Amino acid sequence: MVDLSLEPLADELRSTRSVKPCVLVIFGATGDLTRRKLVPSLMGLSKDGLLPSAFAVVGFARRPWTDESFREVLADGVETFGRPDTPAHFAEQREAFIYHQSDFGDAYGYLKLKQRLEEIDRTRGTAGNRIFYLATPPSAYSLILKNLAAAGLSSEQGDRFSRVIVEKPFGRDLDTATALNSQVSAAFRERQVFRIDHYLGKETVQNILALRFANGIFEPLWNEKFVDSVQITVAESIGVGSRGSYFEESGVIRDMIQNHLMQVLTLVAMEPPAAMTADAVRDEKVKVLKAIRSFDPSKVDRNTVRAQYTSGSFGGEDVKGYLEEDGVAPNSTTETYAAVRLKIDNWRWARTPFYLRSAKRMPRRATEVAIQFKQPPHALFEARKAPTPNMLLLRIQPDEGVAMRFGAKVPGPDVRIRDVRMDFRYGTAFGSETADAYERLLLDSILGDGTLFARDDEVAEAWRIVDSIVAGWAESDRPPATYTAGTWGPPDADALLRRGRTWRRP
Ligand code: BG6
């Protein structure tokens, strides 16, 4: 009997790549990211045997904490946010977590850090390899980068590596991103730099490339001859919560579209790379962005929709409108919903529009890519209404999987066609939970593999496009539309699609 079970073999789950000993230094280690994401993810990796045998974490921050108080906070973070099998594992590894108190601008603090790292190399065998993680507010990046370079911590000697991981936001427009890129490149070479976009760490985002390039059946259809349009949606049910003042400065366009949606777009639209190497993949991704023209400000209103949520009821509870959220100006025009129609001016996509949409306070959390195919050239079957077009749906989260919608004959004496769905679900097929995005990205940074990180030119191109949208909105006399919290956005958004297309309801 042929065994068609898709249970992954133990070997398939294990990484074949080898990791070198190293120390991870987290700047801003007293912040939320460290206890919620970074350390729980590191513990997941460690439990799975994926971290190097010699490994340590140094938390660098201003607060007067000690090694012990740092470890207490981390233990609580692993307990609350980590996998159930990791708290006991953390207890065994506590000694590997060390706290270093210093101001980000204090040169002496970096010299002391250097001494401490050398001591850790001697006691824990970390071999002089370092990764610096910038998890501070972006205003501190410049000071940290300068001081790392001045202390000689950014240069690589012999086969020792020194890398820097930069958290988002990477600038707030093209100018600030360019300035930040030059500060980064004054201290590190591009191959030492890892700009995090956590969407690239999601298994299902990586599966876009596997689906396209590990199969023969999709790629021949993957172009403007067969694809009518593409919708990329990142819908969130949460509101801005306690992040009102941050959100005021960014809006959905900077917070989500410039990075996460643009990254997904490039993976959907790119040409096959010559090899699966970091630069070959990123070269192709950046070409997609280069093929998207900046908007003429006067055309932005025609190609975008922006809106704010108003109060509503959500899961049986009343929720505030955006303008009533803490930290939000009562007359704010910041968008919590944005939809954009983009054209990719290249051979493959010349006539296929790409629609990007992201918002807070939607009815449900759902990230997906919907590839809508053209209708067959000739209608053979009588139908009361036009048949629904075929669609390939890539469900990024939750309920990760891939579905195909097509028409089938309804059983019976008449010829009636109805939509049916073929569905692949990750959970059912592989029977294992997908790892947190940070696990994959932290592991890749330790391995020195930059494929799933944004390169400087990708970030710059994405800002160029987003800046032109922001400029159009600033000039526009049309204020943001509104939508009631818990609905799928303003009615205007349908008009953006044209030609009878409609937004998918995830
Ligand atoms: C972050 C944004 O980058 O991504 C948040 O700053 C957003 O506003 C989050 O909520 C969404 O990430 P995920 O993984 O929950 O889809």
Side-chain angles (χ1 to χ4, degrees):
M1 201 172 82
V2 183
D3 181 9
L4 289 177
S5 133
L6 286 176
E7 288 283 310
L9 303 169
D11 273 6
E12 288 177 324
L13 292 174
R14 222 170 285 134
S15 173
T16 50
R17 304 181 290 176
S18 65
V19 280
K20 290 190 182 161
C22 64
V23 184
L24 176 69
V25 181
I26 306 174
F27 288 91
T30 51
D32 240 21
L33 186 72
T34 307
R35 62 183 273 279
R36 271 177 180 265
K37 284 284 178 196
L38 303 184
V39 174
S41 298
L42 287 171
M43 283 301 102
L45 289 172
S46 171
K47 183 75 190 154
D48 292 343
L50 294 169
L51 284 187
S53 50
F55 184 73
V57 171
V58 174
F60 185 119
R62 286 168 294 203
R63 292 191 210 174
W65 289 8
T66 61
D67 287 351
E68 260 324 294
S69 58
F70 183 48
R71 291 168 188 162
E72 281 309 304
V73 171
L74 301 183
D76 180 62
V78 175
E79 180 82 42
T80 318
F81 304 105
R83 276 179 6 201
D85 59 346
T86 50
H89 190 64
F90 178 79
E92 290 161 18
Q93 311 280 320
R94 280 173 84 92
E95 307 278 293
F97 292 82
I98 296 148
Y99 188 72
H100 183 79
Q101 187 204 350
S102 170
D103 269 356
F104 299 130
D106 176 7
Y108 182 64
Y110 291 77
L111 294 177
K112 294 277 287 183
L113 171 70
K114 193 173 181 186
Q115 280 173 6
R116 243 175 139 178
L117 291 174
E118 284 161 1
E119 189 186 309
I120 296 172
D121 287 341
R122 281 192 299 274
T123 54
R124 305 193 68 91
T126 40
N129 294 320
R130 290 106 177 60
I131 303 177
F132 301 101
Y133 197 121
L134 308 191
T136 61
S139 52
Y141 289 176
S142 146
L143 270 181
I144 298 172
L145 290 162
K146 271 194 211 132
N147 279 297
L148 281 175
L153 284 164
S154 61
S155 56
E156 295 184 315
Q157 275 130 27
D159 59 359
R160 295 173 167 201
F161 66 73
S162 172
R163 301 181 182 137
V164 66
I165 304 178
V166 188
E167 259 298 330
K168 74 170 269 239
F170 203 86
R172 69 178 315 272
D173 52 24
L174 180 56
D175 287 349
T176 48
T178 310
L180 178 54
N181 269 334
S182 27
Q183 284 158 5
V184 171
S185 59
F188 292 90
R189 294 186 185 187
E190 185 58 28
R191 65 173 167 72
Q192 297 173 275
V193 184
F194 295 76
R195 293 175 195 79
I196 286 242
D197 185 310
H198 78 279
Y199 265 58
L200 292 177
K202 294 183 191 269
E203 280 286 338
T204 37
V205 170
Q206 294 161 45
N207 191 46
I208 297 173
L209 292 190
L211 181 97
R212 292 189 55 196
F213 303 134
N215 295 293
I217 57 171
F218 300 113
E219 210 44 31
L221 304 178
W222 213 263
N223 57 61
E224 57 90 27
K225 284 194 191 62
F226 298 95
V227 177
D228 167 80
S229 57
V230 177
Q231 290 186 16
I232 301 177
T233 300
V234 181
E236 295 185 273
S237 52
I238 51 169
V240 298
S242 56
R243 298 165 78 217
S245 40
Y246 157 77
F247 206 79
E248 276 286 86
E249 294 298 309
S250 59
V252 169
I253 193 88
R254 292 188 171 97
D255 186 46
M256 301 294 291
I257 294 191
Q258 187 273 341
N259 39 74
H260 308 325
L261 280 91
M262 288 287 185
Q263 285 295 332
V264 174
L265 166 79
T266 57
L267 296 175
V268 172
M270 69 189 261
E271 294 301 318
M276 283 303 289
T277 57
D279 274 331
V281 171
R282 296 186 295 183
D283 285 347
E284 295 306 333
K285 287 169 66 197
V286 84
K287 278 190 213 160
V288 174
L289 298 172
K290 283 187 174 159
I292 300 173
R293 288 197 208 145
S294 304
F295 286 96
D296 176 328
S298 67
K299 297 198 174 127
V300 167
D301 276 345
R302 234 187 293 156
N303 288 292
T304 64
V305 175
R306 56 176 171 150
Q308 286 174 340
Y309 60 82
T310 54
S311 58
S313 140
F314 210 91
E317 266 178 44
D318 290 340
V319 296
K320 290 182 194 168
Y322 179 65
L323 296 182
E324 292 105 52
E325 299 275 15
D326 291 344
V328 173
N331 57 352
S332 165
T333 55
T334 301
E335 76 293 341
T336 59
Y337 175 107
V340 180
R341 175 176 47 229
L342 289 177
K343 278 184 69 223
I344 302 178
D345 283 325
N346 66 14
W347 197 274
R348 185 189 283 259
W349 296 118
R351 281 179 292 244
T352 304
F354 281 70
Y355 299 105
L356 273 50
R357 162 178 68 154
S358 184
K360 304 274 184 215
R361 282 279 184 242
M362 299 263 98
R364 169 165 346 120
R365 174 174 183 250
T367 298
E368 58 173 46
V369 179
I371 317 279
Q372 179 165 322
F373 290 91
K374 292 190 173 166
Q375 296 283 19
H378 174 59
L380 271 181
F381 299 101
E382 274 183 37
R384 261 173 267 147
K385 59 179 180 70
T388 340
N390 295 148
M391 196 180 66
L392 183 69
L393 182 65
L394 317 183
R395 287 192 310 269
I396 310 283
Q397 64 184 21
D399 189 22
E400 290 88 351
V402 178
M404 179 83 207
R405 181 177 75 192
F406 55 96
K409 180 183 172 303
V410 180
D414 296 337
V415 180
R416 280 207 220 108
I417 309 293
R418 195 187 302 157
D419 287 342
V420 293
R421 215 166 135 128
M422 227 154 60
D423 216 338
F424 150 70
R425 285 163 193 270
Y426 259 83
T428 327
F430 292 114
S432 63
E433 295 249 324
T434 53
D436 187 87
Y438 274 92
E439 280 193 28
R440 174 64 196 262
L441 297 175
L442 283 165
L443 178 61
D444 279 7
S445 65
I446 297 171
L447 287 158
D449 182 348
T451 313
L452 300 177
F453 294 84
R455 207 170 55 187
D456 52 355
D457 49 354
E458 283 180 79
V459 172
E461 287 296 328
W463 274 124
R464 171 186 60 74
I465 301 161
V466 161
D467 279 2
S468 71
I469 297 173
V470 173
W473 285 345
E475 279 181 24
S476 164
D477 45 19
R478 197 200 289 174
T482 55
Y483 60 103
T484 310
T487 64
W488 284 109
D492 286 16
D494 286 329
L496 191 68
L497 300 186
R498 299 183 187 159
R499 301 197 183 163
R501 299 179 187 115
T502 52
W503 285 109
R504 238 192 67 77
R505 289 277 158 92

